[in-house]
């Protein structure tokens, strides 16, 4: 649209301005660019969050903030020494906000660029903040990312040169002492980056100290250096930081070339998510031999199936490839497959899952989906079906679901495929129950829920569209005593899930 085009032209204009020491007029710097930087920080980035303690993706507030930080990534060149201290204080204050990873990505890029230009100002602030014990996990994650890039990443050579001059604000001993406690963090990301930073910085600290006073650092370094899991993780992280290029981001091409989310706002790959994936890979690599029997059998069966497939031999091949196969006794195979089936029928706590499927394919608001995920995990439902599994990566989803997505089975089914999905589950013996107010709806407390039930939830405002009602076996509604027409879809779903659970528990008690 027109506003996007105008914004694009403005970003290009800012990028084409000369550097401060390369012909930029003083009035342009002091009367336009620097007031613009401070205005963006004060009026947008530090403005109170409109939604309270957190910010929602897709809102005007979210869009204004992420675009402001994108603009600042082009304006970092005009942060001179006379405003560096003021900018530094505002930037670190912004990091304390409860923001999505997409916004934090641009905050961290801007901070890294400013830190390279003003290491004494930003380095001293970083040193002070990394030693604090009262900061949030989001804040420490940003500090770890900034420290990782400046202290061990591709920008370390230029930054390390500041350590020995009198202008540097970095005190490595204080930095290491601030990072070491995070080696025991409950957050995997902070723990992973902490071990990398400590490993890289200990030799620099010990080089300037007395060995007899630093035996604990020597022992810690030797452990980090020799532990196989630490070595694997460190290797992956170093590659990650070596590829982290803030200079490419700080161009119109870099900013506008980033992929977008459903709201057409930039959706950069956040380093926290990448490191989490590294942690998962390292865990799987180190525990591959400890996999449960059903998993080993599954992998063995897959390899045998590949080995049994016909081998195409070309005219230049010497002959067929021979495979030596391990034979699995049938009783062991049956036992392993049965173990696999049992594990899939139980939740993380070991309790049997209920045969209830929550279909939220028509729900599009992230807080409602996150709340449903949390409720579904608490009551151990079989599956939660949502329109897009990518929402599980969003910060506002995670803050509401409190990791429920890691413990339940989440399936993706878009609205376009919902009719076929409902038909298939009806064929599989499920009863489709729609949560909707219709002329024939029955009170939720008067319905006997079959064991195999699909609960179909409607859209936030429109409810269940007519084309889907034809696949519903029965509609239920929640009695209301007030004047507001309907409950929030998550609340309605939670009440119905509890009613199903209550009925199943009473039946189980009756059987006993």
């Amino acid at each position: 649209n027109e506003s996007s085009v105008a914004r694009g032209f403005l970003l290009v204009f800012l990028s084409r301005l000369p550097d401060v020491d390369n012909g930029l007029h003083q009035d342009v710097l002091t009367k336009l660019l620097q007031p613009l930087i401070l205005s963006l920080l004060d009026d947008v980035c530090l403005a109170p969050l409109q939604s309270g303690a957190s910010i929602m993706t897709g809102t005007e507030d979210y869009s204004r903030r992420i675009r402001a930080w994108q603009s600042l990534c082009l304006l970092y060149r005009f942060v001179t020494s006379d405003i560096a201290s003021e900018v530094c204080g505002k930037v670190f204050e912004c990091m304390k906000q409860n923001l999505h990873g997409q916004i934090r990505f641009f905050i961290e890029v801007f901070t890294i660029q400013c830190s390279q230009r003003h290491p004494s100002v930003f380095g001293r602030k970083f040193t002070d903040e990394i030693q604090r014990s009262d900061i949030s996990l989001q804040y420490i994650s940003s500090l770890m990312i900034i420290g990782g890039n400046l202290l061990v990443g591709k920008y370390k050579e230029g930054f390390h040169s500041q350590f020995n001059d009198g202008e540097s604000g970095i005190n490595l001993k204080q930095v290491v002492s601030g990072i070491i406690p995070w080696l025991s963090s409950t957050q995997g990301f902070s723990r992973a980056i902490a071990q990398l930073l400590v490993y890289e910085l200990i030799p620099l600290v010990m080089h300037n100290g007395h060995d007899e006073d630093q035996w604990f650092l020597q022992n810690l370094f030797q452990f980090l250096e020799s532990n196989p899991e630490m070595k694997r993780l460190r290797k992956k992280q170093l590659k990650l930081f070596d590829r982290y290029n803030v200079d490419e981001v700080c161009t119109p091409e870099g900013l506008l070339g980033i992929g977008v989310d459903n709201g057409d706002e930039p959706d950069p790959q956040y380093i926290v998510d990448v490191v989490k994936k590294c942690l998962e890979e390292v865990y799987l690599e180190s525990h591959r031999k400890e996999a449960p029997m059903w998993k080993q059998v599954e992998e063995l069966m897959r390899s045998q199936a590949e080995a049994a497939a016909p081998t195409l031999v070309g005219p230049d091949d010497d002959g067929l490839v021979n495979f030596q196969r391990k034979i699995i006794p049938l009783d062991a195979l049956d036992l392993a497959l049965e173990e696999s089936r049992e594990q899939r029928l139980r939740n993380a706590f070991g309790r049997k899952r209920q045969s209830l499927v929550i279909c939220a394919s028509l729900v599009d608001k992230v807080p409602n989906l996150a709340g449903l995920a949390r409720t579904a995990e608490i009551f151990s439902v079989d599956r939660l079906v949502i329109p897009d599994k990518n929402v599980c990566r969003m910060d506002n989803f995670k803050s509401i679901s409190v990791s429920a997505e890691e413990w339940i089975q989440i399936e993706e089914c878009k609205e376009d495929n919902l009719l076929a999905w409902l038909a298939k589950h009806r064929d599989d013996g499920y009863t489709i129950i729609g949560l909707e107010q219709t002329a024939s709806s029955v009170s939720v407390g008067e319905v006997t829920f079959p064991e195999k039930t699909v609960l179909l939830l409607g859209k936030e405002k429109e409810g269940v569209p007519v084309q889907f009602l034809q696949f519903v076996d029965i509609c239920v509604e929640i009695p209301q005593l007030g004047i507001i027409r309907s409950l929030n879809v998550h609340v309605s779903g939670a009440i119905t899930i509890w009613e199903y659970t209550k009925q199943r528990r009473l039946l189980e008690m009756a059987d006993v």
Side-chain angles (χ1 to χ4, degrees):
N1 54 39
E2 293 181 359
S3 62
S4 296
V5 173
R7 178 168 165 265
F9 274 116
L10 181 57
L11 292 177
V12 172
F13 166 75
L14 294 174
S15 71
R16 298 289 177 85
L17 291 173
D19 289 334
V20 174
D21 55 356
N22 195 28
L24 181 69
H25 196 281
Q26 186 68 14
D27 285 348
V28 176
L29 175 66
T30 58
K31 296 182 179 180
L32 172 64
L33 298 174
Q34 292 185 340
L36 176 58
I37 292 170
L38 297 175
S39 176
L40 287 172
L41 289 170
D42 287 330
D43 299 337
V44 182
C45 302
L46 282 172
L49 300 178
Q50 294 180 5
S51 54
S54 61
I55 185 173
M56 299 289 296
T57 57
T59 62
E60 182 182 355
D61 192 20
Y62 178 89
S63 298
R64 291 180 71 243
R65 289 175 192 272
I66 197 167
R67 293 178 183 184
W69 281 109
Q70 279 190 297
S71 301
L72 286 167
C73 286
L74 285 179
L75 292 166
Y76 78 91
R77 297 183 294 133
F78 310 113
V79 177
T80 55
S81 57
D82 52 333
I83 67 167
S85 180
E86 183 178 3
V87 170
C88 178
K90 296 178 187 296
V91 168
F92 278 86
E93 194 64 30
C94 288
M95 283 188 213
K96 300 176 185 177
Q97 296 174 326
N98 185 15
L99 300 171
H100 288 262
Q102 293 89 333
I103 298 178
R104 302 191 80 84
F105 171 83
F106 295 109
I107 298 177
E108 291 151 10
V109 167
F110 177 74
T111 307
I112 291 169
Q113 293 284 34
C114 290
S115 298
Q116 294 184 87
R117 288 176 168 253
H118 307 284
S120 60
V121 176
F122 283 80
R124 187 176 297 110
K125 184 66 174 177
F126 171 83
T127 303
D128 292 341
E129 295 299 296
I130 200 71
Q131 296 179 86
R132 292 177 54 181
S133 59
D134 60 342
I135 55 181
S136 67
L137 290 176
Q138 271 200 337
Y139 190 14
I140 191 60
S141 295
S142 290
L143 293 176
M144 291 291 185
I145 291 171
I146 294 166
N149 278 279
L150 295 174
L151 299 175
V152 304
K154 67 183 300 180
Y155 305 105
K156 68 177 182 180
E157 297 300 330
F159 208 72
H160 281 193
S161 64
Q162 308 289 334
F163 294 159
N164 296 323
D165 63 37
E167 300 296 323
S168 175
I170 292 284
N171 184 312
L172 285 184
K173 289 185 178 180
Q174 293 178 354
V175 171
V176 171
S177 67
I179 294 175
I180 285 178
W182 292 99
L183 290 171
S184 60
S185 171
T186 57
Q187 185 196 45
F189 173 80
S190 298
R191 194 168 61 247
I193 302 296
Q195 71 94 359
L196 172 64
L197 290 174
V198 169
Y199 174 81
E200 294 286 334
L201 295 179
I202 281 179
L204 298 177
V205 171
M206 293 180 61
H207 179 71
N208 297 321
H210 301 288
D211 290 346
E212 62 272 14
D213 298 330
Q214 299 174 349
W215 57 268
F216 58 97
L217 291 180
Q218 289 179 338
N219 291 343
L220 179 56
F221 179 80
Q222 289 173 1
F223 173 80
L224 294 174
E225 185 176 42
S226 59
N227 183 273
E229 291 186 21
M230 299 294 182
K231 291 168 67 175
R232 276 193 291 265
L233 180 59
R234 189 162 59 246
K235 184 177 180 180
K236 292 177 182 289
Q237 290 183 95
L238 284 173
K239 289 182 179 179
L240 176 63
F241 280 116
D242 285 340
R243 293 195 300 265
Y244 201 94
N245 194 328
V246 296
D247 295 323
E248 289 183 357
V249 176
C250 296
T251 63
E253 296 82 3
L255 293 172
L256 301 179
I258 296 173
V260 297
D261 58 19
N262 293 333
D264 289 331
E265 296 301 338
D267 187 20
Q269 187 179 35
Y270 194 36
I271 194 171
V272 172
D273 297 324
V274 179
V275 172
K276 285 180 179 177
K277 185 171 180 61
C278 291
L279 285 168
E280 293 174 2
E281 291 174 354
V282 169
Y283 178 84
L284 291 174
E285 290 171 5
S286 61
H287 292 78
R288 186 165 289 149
K289 295 181 180 179
E290 303 173 15
M293 184 179 182
W294 67 267
K295 186 67 176 176
Q296 298 181 42
V297 171
E298 188 179 81
E299 294 180 356
L300 189 55
M301 289 173 66
R302 187 182 300 112
S303 64
Q304 288 187 355
E306 294 172 356
T311 305
L312 298 179
V313 184
D316 297 330
D317 290 330
D318 295 330
L320 293 173
V321 178
N322 292 319
F323 294 95
Q324 184 176 9
R325 304 180 190 171
K326 179 178 178 181
I327 305 300
I328 308 173
L330 285 178
D331 55 348
L333 176 59
D334 290 340
L335 182 62
L337 293 176
E338 182 62 28
E339 180 187 345
S340 172
R341 283 191 291 268
E342 283 295 319
Q343 287 193 4
R344 290 184 174 92
L345 290 174
R346 296 185 180 275
N347 63 10
F349 203 62
R351 293 183 175 139
K352 186 177 180 180
R353 296 185 187 277
Q354 303 194 89
S355 298
L356 173 65
V357 179
I358 308 302
C359 182
S361 293
L362 300 174
V363 179
D364 58 5
K365 293 190 182 301
V366 175
N368 286 332
L369 292 171
L372 286 167
R374 185 171 180 171
T375 303
E377 196 284 325
I378 288 173
F379 292 108
S380 192
V381 307
D382 182 53
R383 275 170 291 152
L384 172 64
V385 184
I386 62 177
D388 185 358
K389 291 178 70 172
N390 288 325
V391 301
C392 299
R393 298 170 44 233
M394 296 183 176
D395 287 349
N396 53 343
F397 182 98
K398 294 179 180 179
S399 65
I400 297 173
S401 70
V402 290
S403 78
E405 70 279 2
E406 299 178 11
W407 306 109
I408 61 171
Q409 182 179 350
I410 295 183
E411 179 181 333
E412 179 176 301
C413 178
K414 299 188 181 299
E415 182 176 349
D416 293 342
N417 304 321
L418 184 55
L419 286 174
W421 187 92
L422 291 172
K424 178 183 181 301
H425 280 72
R426 174 182 279 178
D427 293 341
D428 290 342
Y430 282 89
T431 298
I432 313 297
I433 295 183
L435 185 54
E436 180 61 280
Q437 294 174 329
T438 67
S440 59
S441 293
V442 182
S443 173
V444 68
E446 299 175 1
V447 173
T448 300
F449 285 88
E451 182 177 7
K452 294 183 66 174
T453 292
V454 169
L455 178 61
L456 177 62
L457 304 176
K459 298 184 178 182
E460 277 88 349
K461 293 182 180 179
E462 298 86 354
V464 179
V466 175
Q467 65 267 30
F468 300 114
L469 288 177
Q470 61 181 314
F471 278 92
V472 171
D473 296 301
I474 186 172
C475 281
V476 298
E477 64 181 7
I478 299 170
Q480 301 174 54
L481 303 178
I483 61 173
I484 298 177
R485 191 179 72 85
S486 63
L487 289 164
N488 171 278
V489 65
H490 165 225
V491 175
S492 301
I495 292 173
T496 310
I497 292 169
W498 166 242
E499 181 61 34
Y500 170 94
T501 303
K502 182 178 67 175
Q503 291 186 18
R504 302 312 306 174
R505 286 171 62 87
L506 288 174
L507 287 172
E508 290 173 2
M509 292 171 64
D511 290 340
V512 174

